[in-house]
Amino acid sequence: MKAFALYRVELRRLALSKFTWIAAGLSVCGPLFGYDMYVPSSTWVMTGKYIANPVLAGAVLWAVLSMLESDRIYRAKTDVLTDAVLSPDTLAASRMFAVMTLCAAVSLLTALVYLPYTMNKVGYLFELGLYAYSFLIVLLPTWWISILLAAALYQITRRIELAGLLYAVCVYFSFSQFFGNHYFTHWINPIILSYSDGFSNASPLRITLYTRFIWLAIAGGAFALSLLCMRRYQKNLLGSIARGVRKIYIPITAAALVSAGVFLWTGQPFVDHGPIEYDYEYRYRRDVGSSNTRVSSASYRLEPNVMAGRLKGRVTFDFTKYGEGEDWIAMNPGYTIAKMTVDGDDIPYKTLIGSEVNGERKTVFTLPPVSARRNLVVEYEGFPSSAKCFPLSVTTEISLEYISLINDGVGPFSTSFVPCASSTWELILPSGLTPVVDHVLLENPEDNHNGTKTWRTTIYRYGLPWILAADFDAITFEAAGTAVELIYAHKYDRNMREYGVSKAIADVMNYCTEHQGKLGFAKGKRLVMLQRSAMFGGGNAGDGWVEWSEDIFTQSNLSDPLKGASAMEVFAHEIIHEWWGGLGVVCGEYDDPFYAAWSDEGLTVYTTYRLMKEKYGELYAAQNYIDVWQAAVDKQNRGFYYRHPEYLAKLPEQYQAQLNSEARETNQYCRMPLMILKAERLVGGEAKFDEILQAIHRQYASTGQMFTYQDFLDACDLREEDVILEQDFQI
Amino acid sequence: MNKIFKYELRRLLWNKFFIGLLLINGLYAWFVLTGDIIAGVAYTAPFSPWSFGAYLAKTMPITVLTVLFLLTFYYAKKEKRVEVLTGATPVNPVRYSLVRSGAIATAFLILVALLLGLSLYFYASILDYWHVTPFILPALLVLPPCLIFALGAGHLAGRLHVGLLYVLMLAVLLVGFGGIGGAFDPFGGGYFSVYPLSLPAGADGDPAFTLSAGFLIARAVYLGVGGGLFLMGIGAARKKATTA
Ligand SMILES: [Zn+2]
């Protein structure tokens, strides 16, 4: 009761203090930084730009207020007086709750102040729920954490400048890459790579909520701990602690809060505990040896729990086994096997906990040798995690508005089985979601009359399909003689029509068809273009399909093609991969397909340049393409490790891998396009070069035969030394 | 005198602040080495004098912050009261002031030894590079001006008001991490990582370690101004001694 009365007194005093109002005013301005200066969410997604970034700015101001408030009493030298009447820890705790209440009020005020502007900017994509969640989950807890930590540091050190310095160090470590870039160390700047306008924001909101709980617990624990250090009866730090622990509930609260934070941190379900680096050799290690188990059919049944973000799955393999030997399956480490049966009888299995590599985990078991067909049923359930080596990529998500299940996020697979070339799939999804499986929009679901629908399909290939589900729309149109099916989030419908996206796609396809040849698919096959959530980022292309991150189609990007040149480039680039790469001409080297400078990218980037040159003129193309390539190549040529590869070999592996992949990117995306440009000039200009490309396309497209660098030189009738840039460059 | 020096040194170095700051200096330096310097600056080797200079320049703001922080021990309010006492004892205030500066310089040298040790260990263990001589010149150009300027400006600020020391620390943070660049960069970071870009490549591909006159003058100015401020401080102490 006394504490509550104190709290009210403190709240009243704060509310009447001029200083509080200045701080509150400044805090309301905090989000302004997010529009321009501090932009962690850097995609073109509207809600990212106008909601995510603003709520991520501004927590430091509250730390200043919190420290000055804690210091106020000592500055005024009233501590001797107040200490005599009240216990200093009760006073400090009441004051803290008062500041936190005030902070909540200011965050509500901030939300109201920015509401009209945000609604206006985000336009028809605005959702009040996301806006409210952003303030409740991201902004307010972060402000609270900042306040608690600052007050704790002050109460422990009792020197405002030292507490400020320590606080600055804490902020610095939150921003630095020192502990690697991962969600859980970012206490003041939660990582939100992107929001999504058309799909779902469950992933960033879930993980931010979780990290906020971790840090609220830790900061709350630190604050409780600092109450012990409150100087009592003019004693020093140790003397005060000795007296403080007599109030046994304070150290117990502190310990409980800190251990709750640590427990949440170590038990987090979002990122697995595998090695921090991607293991390129793991596949070969994993797939070694072959089993005697032959699978003749596989059928999967998936039932996502969209509220909890969890997946319940069951797979049935019909198998025969000739001889002995251990079998294994691997899947996402977030899933645990509930049951494994052969013909209905439980069999023993062992999940290798701690063996996570590249976002998958093995379970081993031994199937009995049988000549008649038996069925193995695996039931599993869990929350899919991201791989530690790609902790920030959100490839798997299960939420009310969006489901994305990729690779081992779908369920178990095994190369220890001789697999079957097809599998059947049954998906039980909420009625509002339409699935796209391996880039095919499914049709004709069965309505279960309980808010869910069951979708069935068969895929005719080895391995696991990519499963996406959202409120998808599709439009079909013809471009350059090919049927194109554009699948996108329903929310983007207006953008797609207003900005004539299908026309822009047709432009790229017409250009490539005219200059480089007809698309090489089998007749009647559609080219599928799929829009995916911005969490996924960038673009991708393959066998008859192209996919982009949603932000290619946002207003801020579409309304200004010149400003968004790099996004337009992604848009065109991925379509062009249907000519160079995918089902078109596969460019590469046999011996080193990954690191070779000659790859699909060279001719794709070159063609993008030609397209932009036609669209926006020679000057634009020179500035945005040729000059950019040249600058990157010059930079690479000057690089110390490029000049001295003997030192590169001495570096730690992680750093070597980083430099190698940088070099690969420059070679494939900049050096090779420059060399192709040189070849174009040597063969006598664009028209002549287009003829050569057309001939190549006729000969190689859709054959599956690799088109090597030597093939390219032969087609141009050039020698290696003709095309080489003046530097001593070796392919 | 020796006794007072030992006492001051012990008081300055043997406490949780200095040990904590030493740790922060070391962590930060290792962070700079493995994060930035490993790539080399301006396309030069990570062990070029340019990269080494840039390393020192990048770590100096934290080291100078530490020095300024240690200075606040002398100018804090309580200390002022003690000063009244020491002023009354027969110790010569000029010598006392020198002793204290010597103690701070020792602290600086300990920090620098840590930075140098870490970098040499880094070069030897990771890049198998064992030479020391190329690093002497950049070290001489970066370290003494930083120390002398910090001491001079710090004493001046502290004498006027202890709060000014914190303002000075803020300025160091802003200049050190915001970066001025060019020859007049007080820590030289901007200079070491930009100037070599304008030089022709030498025989091994790295530009030779030749410095512009502007930079040398700037270093001399920082050293001179810092020294001047420092002597002014000594002068003030002498005045106090004669009036006391
Ligand atoms: Zn590409």
Side-chain angles (χ1 to χ4, degrees):
Chain A
M1 205 52 231
K2 199 169 104 190
F4 186 69
L6 263 178
Y7 162 77
R8 281 179 44 189
V9 171
E10 281 293 325
L11 196 58
R12 200 181 137 75
R13 192 187 51 71
L14 273 174
L16 294 177
S17 138
K18 201 200 297 173
F19 176 68
T20 307
W21 287 101
I22 296 174
L26 286 173
S27 304
V28 174
C29 300
L32 290 176
F33 291 104
Y35 291 124
D36 190 26
M37 282 170 63
Y38 177 61
V39 282
S41 168
S42 56
T43 54
W44 286 280
V45 171
M46 304 298 278
T47 45
K49 222 170 143 157
Y50 293 104
I51 303 179
N53 287 331
V55 296
L56 286 170
V60 176
L61 278 168
W62 282 97
V64 178
L65 176 69
S66 164
M67 276 191 226
L68 290 177
E69 268 309 313
S70 307
D71 186 49
R72 182 183 54 85
I73 245 173
Y74 304 105
R75 254 180 307 155
K77 300 229 181 297
T78 48
D79 56 331
V80 183
L81 271 177
T82 48
D83 275 11
V85 192
L86 304 160
S87 111
D89 43 59
T90 317
L91 186 63
S94 319
R95 189 170 47 228
M96 176 48 56
F97 280 112
V99 173
M100 284 170 77
T101 311
L102 182 80
C103 178
V106 173
S107 69
L108 180 68
L109 180 71
T110 314
L112 290 176
V113 166
Y114 289 89
L115 183 63
Y117 176 73
T118 313
M119 282 175 77
N120 182 332
K121 277 291 176 185
V122 179
Y124 79 95
L125 292 167
F126 181 82
E127 266 181 24
L128 193 60
L130 175 65
Y131 188 72
Y133 280 138
S134 302
F135 278 86
L136 275 176
I137 292 177
V138 188
L139 179 131
L140 180 58
T142 307
W143 284 7
W144 276 350
I145 293 164
S146 186
I147 291 174
L148 283 166
L149 191 69
L153 289 173
Y154 174 78
Q155 273 159 201
I156 292 170
T157 58
R158 270 292 289 280
R159 283 185 63 180
I160 198 154
E161 66 285 351
L162 189 62
L165 196 69
L166 288 172
Y167 179 85
V169 170
C170 293
V171 172
Y172 176 76
F173 278 112
S174 184
F175 277 92
S176 83
Q177 311 274 312
F178 195 76
F179 297 109
N181 201 1
H182 82 89
Y183 292 106
F184 306 99
T185 54
H186 284 227
W187 64 271
I188 197 172
N189 53 334
I191 299 181
I192 294 183
L193 284 186
S194 176
Y195 265 176
S196 165
D197 287 340
F199 298 92
S200 150
N201 292 298
S203 288
L205 290 180
R206 273 178 191 149
I207 199 161
T208 308
L209 182 64
Y210 197 91
T211 62
R212 295 309 86 190
F213 270 121
I214 292 179
W215 283 104
L216 270 177
I218 293 176
F223 180 77
L225 199 70
S226 77
L227 289 181
L228 287 181
C229 310
M230 297 291 294
R231 310 302 194 266
R232 283 152 229 266
Y233 313 105
Q234 305 287 306
K235 284 183 184 297
N236 65 7
L237 179 63
L238 288 176
S240 303
I241 291 178
R243 287 200 80 97
V245 288
R246 288 186 198 172
K247 284 191 178 173
I248 190 70
Y249 60 89
I250 296 182
I252 288 178
T253 314
L257 282 171
V258 171
S259 40
V262 172
F263 177 75
L264 283 173
W265 190 323
T266 50
Q268 56 80 18
F270 299 98
V271 179
D272 72 24
H273 300 281
I276 201 154
E277 274 178 74
Y278 187 81
D279 187 341
Y280 287 100
E281 257 106 66
Y282 173 65
R283 275 183 81 111
Y284 306 110
R285 256 191 356 258
R286 181 192 69 190
D287 295 352
V288 92
S290 74
S291 157
N292 299 314
T293 307
R294 178 179 294 273
V295 169
S296 55
S297 83
S299 62
Y300 290 76
R301 182 177 189 277
L302 304 182
E303 196 173 351
N305 175 347
V306 291
M307 295 318 286
R310 301 173 76 88
L311 179 73
K312 204 166 115 187
R314 196 186 69 202
V315 51
T316 309
F317 296 111
D318 285 342
F319 72 94
T320 46
K321 185 169 179 181
Y322 309 95
E324 304 286 325
E326 196 173 57
D327 301 278
W328 60 263
I329 51 174
M331 63 179 168
N332 188 295
Y335 299 147
T336 47
I337 292 176
K339 209 173 175 185
M340 224 174 184
T341 59
V342 170
D343 281 356
D345 299 327
D346 283 351
I347 58 162
Y349 58 87
K350 188 166 185 271
T351 299
L352 306 176
I353 309 273
S355 70
E356 298 84 359
V357 182
N358 301 349
E360 60 181 65
R361 186 169 68 189
K362 262 185 175 178
T363 295
V364 294
F365 50 92
T366 307
L367 292 173
V370 282
S371 53
R373 268 205 317 176
R374 300 290 185 91
N375 70 62
L376 165 71
V377 176
V378 183
E379 287 176 26
Y380 56 97
E381 202 273 338
F383 185 93
S385 55
S386 302
K388 181 88 166 269
C389 45
F390 304 119
L392 300 183
S393 73
V394 189
T395 49
T396 309
E397 174 178 320
I398 297 170
S399 68
L400 193 58
E401 293 165 301
Y402 186 56
I403 292 173
S404 165
L405 297 170
I406 284 172
N407 305 335
D408 33 45
V410 175
F413 72 97
S414 179
T415 50
S416 83
F417 300 159
V418 178
C420 58
S422 69
S423 51
T424 59
W425 292 80
E426 193 175 298
L427 311 171
I428 297 151
L429 304 178
S431 298
L433 301 182
T434 308
V436 172
V437 177
D438 268 358
H439 303 95
V440 175
L441 191 70
L442 298 194
E443 286 165 349
N444 304 324
E446 182 186 311
D447 196 337
N448 301 324
H449 302 293
N450 61 354
T452 63
K453 286 179 181 167
T454 302
W455 305 75
R456 293 191 176 82
T457 187
T458 303
I459 65 155
Y460 297 95
R461 67 178 181 91
Y462 297 110
L464 298 168
W466 296 14
I467 298 176
L468 294 180
D471 184 6
F472 280 124
D473 275 359
I475 45 175
T476 311
F477 55 91
E478 198 164 295
T482 306
V484 177
E485 186 180 27
L486 178 63
I487 305 171
Y488 55 90
H490 174 71
K491 277 194 171 177
Y492 276 90
D493 198 39
R494 222 168 97 178
N495 282 358
M496 294 293 180
R497 291 173 201 283
E498 258 175 38
Y499 294 101
V501 169
S502 40
K503 165 111 185 14
I505 292 171
D507 278 356
V508 178
M509 294 186 58
N510 285 330
Y511 177 88
C512 292
T513 308
E514 189 186 318
H515 290 264
Q516 302 178 343
K518 274 182 106 64
L519 260 187
F521 313 132
K523 256 206 181 113
K525 194 167 172 184
R526 285 171 176 180
L527 176 59
V528 173
M529 301 195 170
L530 177 67
Q531 184 193 26
R532 289 184 58 175
S533 164
M535 316 280 158
F536 151 85
N540 209 345
D543 189 340
W545 55 267
V546 174
E547 54 184 28
W548 301 284
S549 155
E550 62 176 287
D551 50 345
I552 311 289
F553 300 109
T554 55
Q555 294 102 301
S556 47
N557 183 36
L558 290 175
S559 58
D560 190 357
L562 274 181
K563 191 171 140 208
S566 56
M568 271 306 285
E569 185 196 49
V570 176
F571 181 78
H573 181 107
E574 299 304 335
I575 299 177
I576 293 168
H577 267 314
E578 291 303 311
W579 275 260
W580 308 105
L583 259 201
V585 178
V586 180
C587 309
E589 298 294 338
Y590 289 101
D591 51 349
D592 188 5
F594 186 70
Y595 280 105
W598 177 252
S599 74
D600 294 335
E601 302 306 337
L603 280 166
T604 303
V605 172
Y606 166 79
T607 306
T608 314
Y609 146 76
R610 287 282 305 279
L611 176 67
M612 295 301 156
K613 189 176 166 204
E614 192 181 83
K615 265 193 146 150
Y616 303 120
E618 196 153 337
L619 184 67
Y620 178 84
Q623 277 173 355
N624 289 281
Y625 290 85
I626 301 177
D627 294 353
V628 172
W629 302 335
Q630 189 65 54
V633 168
D634 287 346
K635 189 170 170 231
Q636 185 180 44
N637 286 339
R638 289 185 74 174
F640 172 73
Y641 292 105
Y642 190 77
R643 289 183 283 122
H644 295 280
E646 70 274 18
Y647 281 104
L648 182 64
K650 290 179 183 171
L651 290 180
E653 249 175 58
Q654 189 178 349
Y655 201 77
Q656 268 189 51
Q658 190 192 325
L659 285 179
N660 280 333
S661 84
E662 274 169 25
R664 175 183 66 86
E665 220 171 275
T666 307
N667 286 340
Q668 292 185 349
Y669 288 84
C670 301
R671 191 178 285 273
M672 188 48 73
L674 266 187
M675 290 163 71
I676 292 171
L677 190 67
K678 196 172 172 191
E680 173 221 284
R681 285 173 188 167
L682 287 173
V683 298
E686 289 176 356
K688 186 86 199 28
F689 192 61
D690 280 353
E691 275 171 32
I692 295 172
L693 291 183
Q694 282 169 23
I696 293 169
H697 205 266
R698 272 197 303 276
Q699 191 187 340
Y700 286 88
S702 314
T703 58
Q705 192 190 339
M706 186 98 85
F707 178 59
T708 65
Y709 186 53
Q710 193 54 51
D711 295 336
F712 171 72
L713 292 173
D714 293 346
C716 297
D717 199 15
L718 291 169
R719 287 162 306 154
E720 205 169 328
E721 52 269 35
D722 299 332
V723 185
I724 254 174
L725 306 177
E726 46 278 18
Q727 306 289 336
D728 52 338
F729 173 71
Q730 302 286 317
I731 288 280
Chain B
M1 198 82 267
N2 213 353
K3 231 181 186 170
I4 301 178
F5 181 71
K6 268 187 191 155
Y7 166 77
E8 286 292 337
L9 207 56
R10 201 183 148 80
R11 216 169 53 124
L12 204 58
L13 305 185
W14 195 245
N15 64 63
K16 57 181 185 253
F17 293 121
F18 185 73
I19 294 169
L21 288 165
L22 196 67
L23 202 71
I24 290 176
N25 271 274
L27 274 175
Y28 182 71
W30 192 251
F31 179 47
V32 170
L33 283 170
T34 52
D36 289 348
I37 302 303
I38 194 167
V41 301
Y43 309 118
T44 67
F47 43 76
S48 72
W50 300 109
S51 297
F52 182 77
Y55 160 66
L56 285 182
K58 279 195 170 177
T59 48
M60 265 312 106
I62 300 278
T63 310
V64 167
L65 271 184
T66 310
V67 165
L68 293 177
F69 189 75
L70 294 177
L71 269 173
T72 63
F73 287 3
Y74 290 154
Y75 289 102
K77 279 181 196 128
K78 266 187 213 155
E79 201 63 30
K80 282 259 163 98
R81 263 173 257 149
V82 180
E83 204 172 70
V84 179
L85 287 176
T86 48
T89 55
V91 182
N92 178 346
V94 177
R95 293 184 72 183
Y96 190 54
S97 177
L98 281 175
V99 162
R100 286 174 146 191
S101 302
I104 290 206
T106 312
F108 180 81
L109 288 180
I110 291 173
L111 289 165
V112 164
L114 174 72
L115 298 183
L116 297 180
L118 280 173
S119 62
L120 294 181
Y121 171 74
F122 168 80
Y123 289 136
S125 67
I126 291 183
L127 294 159
D128 200 13
Y129 183 86
W130 295 86
H131 303 279
V132 176
T133 39
F135 303 145
I136 296 173
L137 187 54
L140 285 178
L141 285 167
V142 174
L143 300 175
C146 281
L147 171 67
I148 300 297
F149 193 81
L151 271 181
H155 271 308
L156 178 70
R159 250 198 341 274
L160 295 174
H161 189 277
V162 68
L164 279 179
L165 270 173
Y166 293 107
V167 176
L168 198 59
M169 284 159 84
L170 191 71
V172 166
L173 263 180
L174 288 178
V175 171
F177 294 103
I180 289 184
F184 266 84
D185 190 325
F187 303 103
Y191 181 78
F192 285 119
S193 49
V194 173
Y195 182 65
L197 290 175
S198 65
L199 295 175
D204 59 346
D206 279 11
F209 193 61
T210 49
L211 297 153
S212 62
F215 181 70
L216 294 173
I217 291 169
R219 296 324 284 167
V221 167
Y222 281 117
L223 194 66
V225 171
L229 290 175
F230 184 72
L231 289 178
M232 259 169 66
I234 301 291
R238 177 179 294 152
K239 214 185 242 167
K240 208 183 273 173
T242 49
T243 51

